[in-house]
Amino acid sequence: SCDEVSNTAYYPKWIWASLLPVLVFKVGVEWNSLKYLLILVDAMNLSLKVFGMHLGFVVWLVFYGTMSQISLADIGSDSMFTGSAIVSISCPDSKLQETWDLEWQHSFFAKAHIPAPKLSYLVGGIWVFSMLQMLWPLCRTLTRAESQMPFFRCCRDKDDVLYVDDVLFGAAEASG
């Protein structure tokens, strides 16, 4: 909702609690996935690294577990900022779109006769792009063309290479 004094949107602080179910689900999925990864790490005698340093499992787990949860908090804060910005633009007596249009007039784009985009579309579009860029690596990994790339060259399988699809399908079969 809009603050009548500042003409900006705000959200209640309890909204952060809405991330808790997502956090619990994410931790569960990551922990289950980690079980399969650790089998490969142990079988191939790979070392776990943080910033290029070989560290023990507990340090590695704490570091990457913490970074994963910070990533979720970042996604949540980006989403809340986007929502607040879009609502702020639509607040009564809001000057944000007008200020954006004035700033645009002084840009290179205006000199190239490119009209100013609507600020709410720009903010929303950037948010959508930030969400899509998280899906891109997953989509590339799971496509059939990419699945024939070597997973680990040191492992023996058909043609003396273990492929990504072999690992993914093997993990899926093992999980039932």
Side-chain angles (χ1 to χ4, degrees):
S1 60
C2 295
D3 184 295
E4 293 177 12
V5 177
S6 65
N7 266 328
T8 57
Y10 65 93
Y11 54 86
K13 299 300 180 213
W14 60 262
I15 202 84
W16 282 97
S18 67
L19 287 176
L20 192 58
V22 177
L23 174 84
V24 170
F25 176 75
K26 184 176 183 241
V27 168
V29 169
E30 288 175 349
W31 190 256
N32 283 328
S33 301
L34 184 63
K35 290 188 291 187
Y36 298 111
L37 177 68
L38 289 178
I39 292 169
L40 289 172
V41 168
D42 186 49
M44 294 186 294
N45 202 17
L46 298 173
S47 62
L48 301 170
K49 295 181 183 179
V50 175
F51 297 120
M53 297 181 295
H54 299 277
L55 299 172
F57 173 72
V58 173
V59 175
W60 176 86
L61 181 64
V62 167
F63 177 79
Y64 281 103
T66 302
M67 291 298 106
S68 176
Q69 302 323 311
I70 289 173
S71 171
L72 177 65
D74 180 52
I75 293 167
S77 67
D78 288 351
S79 299
M80 286 185 254
F81 168 79
T82 302
S84 296
I86 290 172
V87 170
S88 290
I89 293 166
S90 64
C91 284
D93 301 323
S94 173
K95 305 282 186 211
L96 289 174
Q97 184 64 47
E98 182 181 322
T99 304
W100 171 250
D101 292 337
L102 289 172
E103 287 299 318
W104 188 270
Q105 289 174 4
H106 299 288
S107 73
F108 171 77
F109 297 109
K111 292 178 185 8
H113 304 290
I114 299 172
K118 194 169 180 186
L119 188 56
S120 59
Y121 293 161
L122 183 66
V123 171
I126 290 171
W127 177 81
V128 167
F129 178 73
S130 74
M131 295 296 121
L132 289 176
Q133 74 179 354
M134 292 184 297
L135 296 176
W136 180 253
L138 179 64
C139 292
R140 280 188 49 93
T141 301
L142 296 178
T143 59
R144 189 72 184 153
E146 290 287 325
S147 69
Q148 291 303 312
M149 293 182 65
F151 187 72
F152 289 113
R153 291 191 183 278
C154 62
C155 298
R156 300 289 182 226
D157 195 36
K158 60 186 176 203
D159 304 322
D160 293 334
V161 177
L162 181 63
Y163 291 95
V164 173
D165 61 346
D166 297 326
V167 173
L168 292 174
F169 293 125
E173 289 173 3
S175 66

